[in-house]
Amino acid sequence: MTITPIELAVVVGSVRPDRLGPTVAQWFVRIVAERSEFVANTIDLIDLDLPADLSPSPGADTLAAAVSSADAVVLVTPEYNHGYPGSLKIALDTVKYEWRGKPVGFVSYGGLYGGARAVEQLRQVAAELHMVSVRDSVGFPRARKTFGADPVVVDGPAVDSAARMLDQVQWWATAAKTLRASRPYPGQ
């Protein structure tokens, strides 16, 4: 039996100048690349030009297609002012049905708590979008000091957290793929 890899959409949530998100996402994608059960595709919100009023746009179409084809999602988010960035909220609100029934993990960074407050808020939004939030996540407190100019981080706890999170994402994505093959997700 051939096992089809899980298509994992890694969403870079920040669009600010001098953002650290692409560096954090690059580190995470390198971790994912070590696992044959995943194929990661990065979606950088800065490339999509999503309208704040949620009107149709080429960027919205691109996001919808990318999320639709993914089996699972990992949101890479900073913590800004004890929350997640508005650009990520716009992306989550732009796409509706494509999120449903998909597992979601979180890689966060910022402040003393590594973006934990942003992740707690995102878990609520994910539940409303019918996503399955996995328990474990990865957080980087004081991320600029951790990453510096080099996106390769040798950090035992972060690597361990990423492995546990990916195990959970794999389990849920496999379950969802199996069910989707026989029936659509309820709650359309």
Side-chain angles (χ1 to χ4, degrees), residues 153-172:
V153 176
V154 180
D155 181 7
V159 171
D160 183 56
S161 293
R164 286 193 321 271
M165 181 184 70
L166 286 169
D167 288 344
Q168 294 164 15
V169 167
Q170 178 192 13
W171 192 92
W172 281 107

Side-chain angles (χ1 to χ4, degrees), residues 3 9 20 26 31 82 87 121 130 133 137 151 168 173:
I3 297 175
L20 192 57
Q26 184 180 22
I31 298 293
H82 290 212
S87 53
Q121 292 172 22
H130 295 248
S133 171
S137 62
Q168 294 164 15

